[in-house]
Amino acid sequence: MPWTRDEMAARAARELQDGYYVNLGIGIPTMVANHIPEGVKVTLQSENGMLGMGPYPYEGEEDADLVNAGKETITELPTSSYFSSADSFGMIRGGHIDLAVLGAMEVSAKGDIANWTIPGKMLKGMGGAMDLVAGVRRVVVVMEHVSRNGTPKILPECTLPLTGEGVVDLIVTDLCVLACDKQNGGLTLIECAPGVTVDEVVAKTGAPLTIADGL
């Protein structure tokens, strides 16, 4: 059975390591904060100018001045700090963020990512994704394996405008986990969701896959 959105976030959270500074993108990636492994301490960074984000507030305790980059209300911690957006992007561009978890519309077999616009659709803004994929040490993508009409979102080449080339390290979908070889190109299937077969993953993937031993 495919993973739910919450289960996808939980699987992505297993990529967090103790001491990491982490940026979570909009959508499913924000749910990763609810699944930080026990004993692992990470610091969440938001490009709108906050380091050390707390969990979502309880209903009725929201503070409209405390929001993440997706305009969702959050809470602060005793160790939280605030700064300008320019300083926040200085952290990202300077290589000080260990891991970013992002959503995507398409990912290629070479680790290219397209996640900021669809031609002909209204554009709210490109956000910080381009800076994140260029400046963060490791990029994990969390997304549905296929589009609403069943079209593969993992392709030999992206068809949508690129956010970054050769930047994705790992893809977590509702069906599986794929490792990207950013240097040589190619995707390796390393894990299937419970009840999902290798054949199903291969059939719904638009790019060739290498199958890890044991699957």
Side-chain angles (χ1 to χ4, degrees), residues 10-204:
R11 175 58 185 84
R14 286 164 49 190
E15 300 301 311
L16 305 180
Q17 295 186 26
D18 195 47
Y20 266 17
Y21 288 87
V22 179
N23 185 287
L24 302 178
I26 297 170
I28 300 175
T30 61
M31 300 167 68
V32 171
N34 298 329
H35 298 283
I36 297 172
E38 187 176 353
V40 173
K41 293 183 179 180
V42 300
T43 302
L44 300 180
Q45 189 257 13
S46 181
E47 59 257 38
N48 60 324
M50 187 175 181
L51 190 66
M53 291 188 293
Y56 290 118
Y58 291 109
E59 186 174 354
E61 298 181 1
E62 299 91 346
D63 183 342
D65 290 327
L66 284 176
V67 297
N68 61 21
K71 306 300 185 289
E72 299 172 309
T73 53
I74 53 175
T75 58
E76 62 182 354
L77 302 171
T79 55
S80 298
S81 58
Y82 305 92
F83 33 83
S84 71
S85 180
D87 288 331
S88 179
F89 277 92
M91 295 177 186
I92 294 167
R93 294 168 183 168
H96 303 291
I97 305 302
D98 298 290
L99 178 73
V101 184
L102 301 174
M105 301 165 191
E106 293 178 346
V107 178
S108 80
K110 300 183 296 182
D112 302 339
I113 179 175
N115 82 336
W116 73 281
T117 187
I118 298 176
K121 299 289 186 179
M122 183 179 291
L123 176 63
K124 295 181 179 179
M126 66 178 64
M130 291 183 180
D131 288 279
L132 285 165
V133 299
V136 172
R137 298 174 186 175
R138 181 171 169 80
V139 174
V140 174
V141 166
V142 183
M143 66 177 190
E144 305 289 343
H145 203 90
V146 299
S147 66
R148 291 179 182 177
N149 63 9
T151 303
K153 297 171 69 173
I154 301 167
L155 305 164
E157 301 283 346
C158 292
T159 64
L160 297 173
L162 293 182
T163 307
E165 295 184 3
V167 294
V168 177
D169 295 279
L170 196 75
I171 308 169
V172 178
T173 77
D174 52 325
L175 300 182
C176 67
V177 181
L178 301 170
C180 299
D181 186 338
K182 298 188 296 186
Q183 279 69 45
N184 303 308
L187 300 168
T188 301
L189 176 62
I190 61 174
E191 184 178 344
C192 291
V196 174
T197 66
V198 171
D199 288 343
E200 181 180 358
V201 173
V202 171
K204 293 182 177 180

